[in-house]
Amino acid sequence: MRSQLTGVVPPLCTPFTPRGEVDTASLTSLVNRTLDAGASALFALGTSGEAAFLTDPQRRTVLETVAEAAAGRVPVLAGVIDMTTPRVLAHARTAAAAGATALVATAPYYTGTHPAETADHYRRIRAAVDLPLIAYDIPPAVHGKLPAATLLALAEDRTLAGLKDSSGDLGSLRRLLVALRERGLEDVFSVLTGSELTVDGALLGGAQGVVPGLGNVDPAGYVRLYEHARAGRWPAAAAEQDRLAALFALVDAGAGTPPGMSGSASALAGFKTALHLLGVIGHPATAAGYLLPEPAVRTVRALLAGAGLR
Amino acid sequence: MRSQLTGVVPPLCTPFTPRGEVDTASLTSLVNRTLDAGASALFALGTSGEAAFLTDPQRRTVLETVAEAAAGRVPVLAGVIDMTTPRVLAHARTAAAAGATALVATAPYYTGTHPAETADHYRRIRAAVDLPLIAYDIPPAVHGKLPAATLLALAEDRTLAGLKDSSGDLGSLRRLLVALRERGLEDVFSVLTGSELTVDGALLGGAQGVVPGLGNVDPAGYVRLYEHARAGRWPAAAAEQDRLAALFALVDAGAGTPPGMSGSASALAGFKTALHLLGVIGHPATAAGYLLPEPAVRTVRALLAGAGLR
Amino acid sequence: MRSQLTGVVPPLCTPFTPRGEVDTASLTSLVNRTLDAGASALFALGTSGEAAFLTDPQRRTVLETVAEAAAGRVPVLAGVIDMTTPRVLAHARTAAAAGATALVATAPYYTGTHPAETADHYRRIRAAVDLPLIAYDIPPAVHGKLPAATLLALAEDRTLAGLKDSSGDLGSLRRLLVALRERGLEDVFSVLTGSELTVDGALLGGAQGVVPGLGNVDPAGYVRLYEHARAGRWPAAAAEQDRLAALFALVDAGAGTPPGMSGSASALAGFKTALHLLGVIGHPATAAGYLLPEPAVRTVRALLAGAGLR
Amino acid sequence: MRSQLTGVVPPLCTPFTPRGEVDTASLTSLVNRTLDAGASALFALGTSGEAAFLTDPQRRTVLETVAEAAAGRVPVLAGVIDMTTPRVLAHARTAAAAGATALVATAPYYTGTHPAETADHYRRIRAAVDLPLIAYDIPPAVHGKLPAATLLALAEDRTLAGLKDSSGDLGSLRRLLVALRERGLEDVFSVLTGSELTVDGALLGGAQGVVPGLGNVDPAGYVRLYEHARAGRWPAAAAEQDRLAALFALVDAGAGTPPGMSGSASALAGFKTALHLLGVIGHPATAAGYLLPEPAVRTVRALLAGAGLR
């Protein structure tokens, strides 16, 4: 991981058994399929991994399972999602012990945070656990966006090895990419976009990789998109992105069923239902036990067929 | 706690030593001063208690200390603040073991939540741990307001024993109070307002008690206000509230120092600085180590003097 | 209006004909009923008056109608709602010509505004049109809350004669009331609460009056509440407020019909349907032509009966 | 405009004289420079044009000036920015009379709006004024995002001729582009991105054009970027976008001077200062009279030099 993190880094879903336990066999199967497709690293315990819903022992189980299944083939990034520095530090130490080769941390949340507090947060994590540290910018969950000035300062002093940008703010991301190059930091700081619907444009603009939730379902598609971009085949990259954008409709399959069901639950259930239909995992429920209703399952099946997946 | 929760229930600050450990001696001193002033219960591990910044072992220490100091004199409410049901359940079990006599839980956060998921969340907590359960409505931290229909349903089936309302939405609170009385639920469901600047109006409107952050600093003032209201001495209650509203300016003493410092950090530092100046706790730092700058300390001292506190 | 503005100031609805024109006969009838009930002033062209939906000629028609019907009996406040200072100035000049005796203006909106820009905005309006000027604090429509420091400065230099507070933030309102008294400004600056469900508490805390949307439907109830408060009959004031809080459910009668219908449209349609059922106005449609569905009309009728209104 | 709208469509700034009047000579100069650089259409009275700050007579002056200067060389799009349908209709009629060849309208704002109300809003505008109608998606000003389903329905029935997307949500834009192609609507509905920092990616993804605020300052740069993209020279397009992204820093030159000054005021002042330094307009003040402080002017000058502009 000291070398640059690039390419396709799927944020792994966490499969559950019907009784609500972590399904380690399914998780191992998901890891193997993802690596067979050409992913360059794995990200466990992110939002797609429903980390917020896992108890501490479950988080450890997930991480140990992924690390064992990866077996050193690729880096294993571990999300250390919690509200404040002291709680994140506890997760970071556990993650290192469980086999993570890099950490992914949001800014503190629960209460508003000053940029200086955010910088201090990352410095304390980096000082406490000797693993490369990736900042995770996810404003809807964390109440605010990571400021560019903070990221540049933390890149400059090597606190951060990269950014997973799930902010959706691609204009700010472009300005950050330009600023990193101006400072000669593009080889020590990896920018990974989490905006899975505009990966072609992000790579054209200089991003080094992508962390696509939809990459759980179609990792090979994202790897093709990435390879097209690396080779300068931009129309082919755009066509692949278009195909994936159409497939992405599976996140809406369950929206509003029941009325008011949150979009994020529907999206996750869409990913998991697809993985179940594809035979990758044994049971499609989310951490909260939510299952897509049957009409939505048919929608997912049709979308998979339309995207050429079986 | 089976009998109705009423009166003044301060959400206790968590004092720290200069090295960042929980200062159990100061916490014991705070508990004793609060009870001597006439508080009718204590609330540990809430937002004022900086629960989000405490590791799991520190949370346990806080709770054991408060329970021991209270020594059965009043109920001890424990905040079980975390992102999702499984994680809250773990805290709830620990809290019961550490001596809590009631639990206070927010809705799930991190991702958006459907009202049905919120109701299920409370039912699962209530089923897992046999302690009275209070809902904690705190939209700025939790991304949304608890719907009245959900609260009424959970009052009706006795899942919830009450509400700590920190939403600031006193109009909705009034409608809830009217609806509870219409359903004959006012004796099985306690409404406690967290809006410490309008307690006279809330009590006039039927609220049973108050959970005032400022009650760390001036518990006797809130007890007087409450007693005036109970006795129908409304102008006296309003005058006491006015005095407390002026004292409340201590939450702004540190605002913008340094520029951008979050309001909640400044507010907590204001409370703790006041407690330190009053000799109640040994060290005024927040969990994140923030200390008010000297001019702000002088402002706090002047406000205490203006409010007749020494 | 140089004397203090106090008491009940209903923000008048604007009745429309079935063809969408301003129904001046119904508006005159509404004015007369409101004044007969004891209102101390009238507020035309506010949010309840659907000013945002009226063309400039329609706004002028409304104002001329209200001024003529009021016939000098009480002050007529005119909302001058627009996005920026130059556009507000144009409305202010028209309002003065049409018979307004005071102006009510929000902060600029459409883009974010600096407090210094907001203060300048009010000073320019006050300089351009020689009528008492009331600030209108309505964050949901205007993207931000009027800062207390700005209000105090504008009270101090007599730019503003008062505040209509529709922010719902009663804690900040209490702090403002205390600060106004500390500066001896309580007789030159009127604080009117727009929070129609907590008027008893606001009056107990020192507010001088109320601008209740529900006062279109039950002005006599608000006048009774106000008189109880003035006379120190606080339990009677609270009981009247409770009755009005129950009646307020008419704002929800149409919520979600059709699904997703905005709350504000439902609320206005609720007020207008009540006025129609009471025989005050000729047609219940909102400016956008929205009518409550029949089941919601039955709900409104039942609520009116429950509140003792016919 | 019946043929497809494509290419670079700068949203023209509105220059003012030092006395605050519309500077028609400078505006004519801006139009001519923009068209000389190869812009394919002009957009007057948008957010960059500070339409919200213009009185109705000033809006008309702007439009007449732009139409006369354009002299039929390209389409002239007119923003008809107001809170609700009746008020927008009044602007639309004036715009048609003043020489606009197409209209650009936001959804209604001030109060929340149901998707059905939004669709009705556009249908009423289209029925009242026979000019092509472009939807303007600008959530920060309008409180919400235009739903894809609404846009598709209004494209299908030819109510809308296109979209100016200033939402910054490029993932949703990509899904819309895919959906438009699936329905065969890509030749009757123009998608123009307002995200000026990611134009290369938007064009790669199928957008037909761009409405860049920064195109006031460097229209030739955006035309080069567009031409590179049309010709499939994607690395050259990306390099041009990178240069423009660096130049974009001029929007931050005045940020925080004075402290708290709004970002949008600073951005506009940055554009206007650049145009003044380049000799295009006579005076750099914003509609509200804001001028960049001297250090910020120096920053703008340095950025222009760095981008090769004089």
Side-chain angles (χ1 to χ4, degrees):
Chain A
M1 235 318 287
R2 272 297 152 191
S3 65
Q4 188 74 326
L5 187 63
T6 62
V8 178
V9 186
L12 296 172
C13 289
T14 303
F16 293 94
T17 68
R19 300 189 45 177
E21 285 147 17
V22 175
D23 178 349
T24 56
S26 287
L27 182 52
T28 298
S29 154
L30 177 61
V31 167
N32 286 327
R33 176 172 179 264
T34 305
L35 293 184
D36 291 350
S40 51
L42 299 169
F43 173 34
L45 300 178
T47 304
S48 294
E50 299 180 272
F53 290 86
L54 300 176
T55 61
D56 289 351
Q58 287 177 320
R59 289 186 181 198
R60 185 171 186 124
T61 298
V62 166
L63 213 42
E64 289 173 344
T65 303
V66 172
E68 189 176 341
R73 288 180 283 176
V74 297
V76 173
L77 286 62
V80 288
I81 310 296
D82 215 317
M83 297 175 272
T84 58
T85 313
R87 298 185 65 81
V88 169
L89 286 177
H91 295 299
R93 292 191 180 102
T94 308
T101 60
L103 304 176
V104 182
T106 70
Y109 49 104
Y110 196 72
T111 52
T113 306
H114 186 264
E117 295 173 276
T118 299
D120 182 57
H121 171 74
Y122 284 117
R123 291 203 176 98
R124 286 174 62 193
I125 300 170
R126 186 67 189 83
V129 179
D130 189 23
L131 286 177
L133 179 60
I134 313 284
Y136 189 176
D137 196 11
I138 182 167
V142 177
H143 302 271
K145 185 161 174 28
L146 286 172
T150 303
L151 290 170
L152 288 169
L154 295 170
E156 197 86 61
D157 72 6
R158 305 298 189 272
T159 297
L160 291 178
L163 170 70
K164 168 181 177 350
D165 178 27
S166 295
S167 73
D169 181 349
L170 296 163
S172 293
L173 190 69
R174 186 61 165 267
R175 294 183 74 186
L176 180 68
L177 286 162
V178 169
L180 287 164
R181 279 203 299 274
E182 276 173 3
R183 286 161 180 74
L185 294 169
E186 71 271 33
D187 292 331
V188 298
F189 188 90
S190 288
V191 172
L192 309 176
T193 178
S195 295
E196 55 213 316
L197 299 172
T198 51
V199 179
D200 51 351
L203 295 173
L204 178 59
Q208 282 101 336
V210 56
V211 184
L214 186 60
N216 280 281
V217 178
D218 193 358
Y222 277 100
V223 170
R224 279 195 299 274
L225 165 45
Y226 180 75
E227 295 302 334
H228 284 316
R230 286 306 88 180
R233 297 185 296 264
W234 295 105
E240 189 68 37
Q241 178 67 84
D242 282 343
R243 191 186 59 80
L244 290 161
L247 175 61
F248 191 74
L250 57 80
V251 307
D252 298 328
T257 323
M261 172 55 58
S262 69
S264 60
S266 163
L268 264 174
F271 291 158
K272 287 186 156 181
T273 299
L275 288 171
H276 183 240
L277 291 171
L278 291 168
V280 181
I281 67 174
H283 183 62
T286 67
Y290 176 65
L291 287 167
L292 286 191
E294 188 48 36
V297 174
R298 284 196 295 274
T299 302
V300 172
R301 186 180 284 115
L303 287 165
L304 290 173
L309 295 175
R310 272 150 307 131
Chain B
M1 233 324 284
R2 271 299 152 192
S3 65
Q4 186 76 326
L5 187 62
T6 62
V8 178
V9 186
L12 296 173
C13 289
T14 303
F16 293 94
T17 68
R19 299 190 44 177
E21 285 147 16
V22 175
D23 178 350
T24 55
S26 288
L27 183 52
T28 299
S29 155
L30 177 62
V31 166
N32 286 329
R33 176 171 179 263
T34 305
L35 294 185
D36 290 350
S40 52
L42 299 169
F43 172 33
L45 299 178
T47 303
S48 293
E50 300 179 272
F53 291 85
L54 300 176
T55 61
D56 288 352
Q58 287 177 319
R59 289 185 180 199
R60 185 169 187 126
T61 299
V62 166
L63 214 41
E64 289 173 343
T65 303
V66 172
E68 189 176 339
R73 289 180 281 174
V74 296
V76 173
L77 286 63
V80 288
I81 310 296
D82 215 318
M83 297 175 272
T84 59
T85 312
R87 298 185 65 81
V88 169
L89 287 178
H91 294 298
R93 293 189 180 103
T94 307
T101 59
L103 303 177
V104 182
T106 71
Y109 48 104
Y110 196 74
T111 53
T113 307
H114 186 264
E117 296 172 276
T118 298
D120 182 57
H121 170 75
Y122 284 117
R123 291 201 176 98
R124 287 173 63 194
I125 301 169
R126 188 68 190 84
V129 178
D130 189 24
L131 287 178
L133 179 60
I134 313 283
Y136 189 177
D137 196 10
I138 181 165
V142 177
H143 302 270
K145 186 162 173 28
L146 287 172
T150 303
L151 290 170
L152 289 168
L154 295 170
E156 197 86 62
D157 72 8
R158 304 298 189 272
T159 298
L160 291 178
L163 169 70
K164 168 180 176 353
D165 178 26
S166 296
S167 73
D169 182 349
L170 296 164
S172 293
L173 190 70
R174 186 61 166 265
R175 295 183 73 186
L176 180 69
L177 286 162
V178 169
L180 287 164
R181 279 203 298 273
E182 277 174 3
R183 286 161 181 74
L185 294 169
E186 72 271 33
D187 293 331
V188 297
F189 187 90
S190 286
V191 172
L192 308 176
T193 178
S195 295
E196 55 212 315
L197 300 172
T198 52
V199 179
D200 51 351
L203 295 172
L204 179 60
Q208 282 100 336
V210 56
V211 184
L214 186 61
N216 281 281
V217 177
D218 194 359
Y222 277 100
V223 170
R224 279 194 299 273
L225 164 46
Y226 180 76
E227 294 302 333
H228 285 315
R230 285 307 87 180
R233 297 185 297 264
W234 294 106
E240 189 68 38
Q241 178 67 84
D242 282 343
R243 191 186 59 80
L244 290 162
L247 175 60
F248 191 74
L250 57 80
V251 307
D252 298 328
T257 322
M261 173 55 58
S262 69
S264 59
S266 163
L268 264 174
F271 291 158
K272 287 186 157 182
T273 298
L275 287 170
H276 183 240
L277 291 171
L278 292 167
V280 182
I281 67 174
H283 183 63
T286 67
Y290 175 65
L291 287 168
L292 286 191
E294 187 49 36
V297 174
R298 283 195 295 274
T299 302
V300 172
R301 186 178 286 118
L303 287 165
L304 290 173
L309 295 176
R310 274 151 306 132
Chain C
M1 240 300 303
R2 272 299 150 191
S3 64
Q4 188 73 327
L5 187 62
T6 61
V8 178
V9 187
L12 296 172
C13 289
T14 303
F16 294 94
T17 68
R19 300 189 46 177
E21 285 147 16
V22 175
D23 178 348
T24 55
S26 287
L27 183 52
T28 298
S29 154
L30 177 61
V31 167
N32 286 327
R33 177 172 179 262
T34 305
L35 293 184
D36 290 350
S40 52
L42 299 170
F43 172 34
L45 300 179
T47 302
S48 294
E50 300 180 271
F53 290 86
L54 300 176
T55 62
D56 288 351
Q58 288 177 320
R59 289 185 180 197
R60 184 170 186 125
T61 298
V62 166
L63 214 41
E64 289 172 345
T65 304
V66 172
E68 189 175 342
R73 288 179 283 174
V74 297
V76 174
L77 286 61
V80 288
I81 310 296
D82 214 316
M83 298 175 271
T84 58
T85 312
R87 297 184 67 81
V88 169
L89 287 178
H91 294 299
R93 292 190 181 102
T94 307
T101 59
L103 303 176
V104 183
T106 70
Y109 48 104
Y110 195 72
T111 52
T113 305
H114 186 264
E117 296 173 276
T118 299
D120 182 56
H121 171 74
Y122 284 117
R123 291 201 175 98
R124 286 173 62 194
I125 300 170
R126 187 67 190 83
V129 179
D130 189 23
L131 287 177
L133 180 60
I134 313 284
Y136 189 176
D137 195 12
I138 182 165
V142 177
H143 301 270
K145 186 162 172 25
L146 287 173
T150 302
L151 290 170
L152 289 169
L154 294 171
E156 197 86 61
D157 71 9
R158 304 298 188 273
T159 298
L160 291 178
L163 169 71
K164 168 182 178 349
D165 179 28
S166 296
S167 73
D169 181 348
L170 296 164
S172 293
L173 190 69
R174 186 61 166 266
R175 293 183 74 186
L176 179 69
L177 286 162
V178 169
L180 286 165
R181 280 204 297 275
E182 277 173 3
R183 286 161 181 73
L185 294 169
E186 72 271 33
D187 292 332
V188 296
F189 188 91
S190 286
V191 173
L192 309 175
T193 178
S195 295
E196 55 213 315
L197 300 171
T198 52
V199 179
D200 52 351
L203 296 172
L204 179 59
Q208 281 100 336
V210 56
V211 184
L214 186 61
N216 280 282
V217 177
D218 193 358
Y222 277 100
V223 170
R224 279 194 299 274
L225 164 45
Y226 179 76
E227 295 302 335
H228 285 315
R230 285 307 86 180
R233 299 186 295 265
W234 294 106
E240 189 68 38
Q241 178 66 84
D242 282 344
R243 191 186 59 80
L244 290 162
L247 175 60
F248 191 74
L250 58 80
V251 307
D252 298 329
T257 324
M261 173 53 59
S262 69
S264 59
S266 163
L268 264 175
F271 291 158
K272 287 186 157 181
T273 299
L275 287 172
H276 183 240
L277 292 171
L278 292 166
V280 182
I281 67 174
H283 183 62
T286 66
Y290 176 66
L291 288 167
L292 286 191
E294 187 49 37
V297 174
R298 283 195 296 275
T299 302
V300 172
R301 187 179 284 116
L303 287 165
L304 290 173
L309 295 176
R310 275 150 306 132
Chain D
M1 243 296 309
R2 272 298 153 194
S3 64
Q4 187 74 329
L5 187 63
T6 61
V8 178
V9 186
L12 295 173
C13 289
T14 302
F16 293 94
T17 67
R19 298 189 47 176
E21 285 147 18
V22 175
D23 178 349
T24 56
S26 287
L27 183 52
T28 299
S29 155
L30 177 61
V31 167
N32 285 328
R33 176 173 180 262
T34 305
L35 294 184
D36 290 351
S40 52
L42 299 169
F43 172 34
L45 299 178
T47 304
S48 294
E50 300 180 270
F53 290 86
L54 300 176
T55 61
D56 288 352
Q58 288 177 320
R59 290 186 179 198
R60 185 170 186 126
T61 298
V62 166
L63 214 41
E64 289 173 343
T65 303
V66 172
E68 189 176 340
R73 288 180 283 175
V74 298
V76 174
L77 287 62
V80 288
I81 310 297
D82 214 317
M83 298 175 272
T84 58
T85 312
R87 298 185 64 81
V88 169
L89 287 178
H91 294 298
R93 293 190 180 102
T94 306
T101 60
L103 302 176
V104 182
T106 70
Y109 48 106
Y110 196 73
T111 52
T113 307
H114 186 263
E117 296 173 275
T118 298
D120 182 56
H121 170 74
Y122 284 117
R123 291 201 176 98
R124 287 173 62 194
I125 300 170
R126 187 68 190 84
V129 180
D130 188 23
L131 286 178
L133 180 60
I134 313 284
Y136 189 177
D137 196 10
I138 181 165
V142 176
H143 302 270
K145 187 163 172 25
L146 287 172
T150 303
L151 290 170
L152 288 169
L154 295 171
E156 197 85 63
D157 71 8
R158 304 297 189 271
T159 298
L160 291 177
L163 169 70
K164 168 180 177 351
D165 178 26
S166 296
S167 73
D169 182 347
L170 296 163
S172 293
L173 189 69
R174 186 62 165 265
R175 296 183 73 185
L176 179 69
L177 286 163
V178 169
L180 286 165
R181 280 203 297 275
E182 277 174 2
R183 285 160 181 75
L185 294 169
E186 71 272 33
D187 293 331
V188 297
F189 188 90
S190 286
V191 173
L192 308 176
T193 178
S195 295
E196 55 213 317
L197 300 172
T198 52
V199 179
D200 52 350
L203 295 172
L204 178 60
Q208 283 100 336
V210 56
V211 185
L214 186 60
N216 280 282
V217 178
D218 194 359
Y222 277 100
V223 171
R224 280 195 299 273
L225 164 45
Y226 180 75
E227 294 303 333
H228 285 316
R230 285 306 88 181
R233 297 186 297 264
W234 295 107
E240 189 67 38
Q241 178 68 85
D242 283 344
R243 191 186 60 79
L244 290 162
L247 176 60
F248 190 74
L250 57 81
V251 307
D252 298 329
T257 323
M261 173 55 57
S262 69
S264 59
S266 163
L268 264 175
F271 291 159
K272 287 187 156 182
T273 299
L275 287 171
H276 184 240
L277 291 172
L278 292 168
V280 182
I281 67 174
H283 183 63
T286 66
Y290 176 65
L291 288 168
L292 286 191
E294 187 48 37
V297 174
R298 283 195 296 273
T299 302
V300 172
R301 187 179 285 118
L303 287 165
L304 290 173
L309 295 176
R310 275 150 307 133

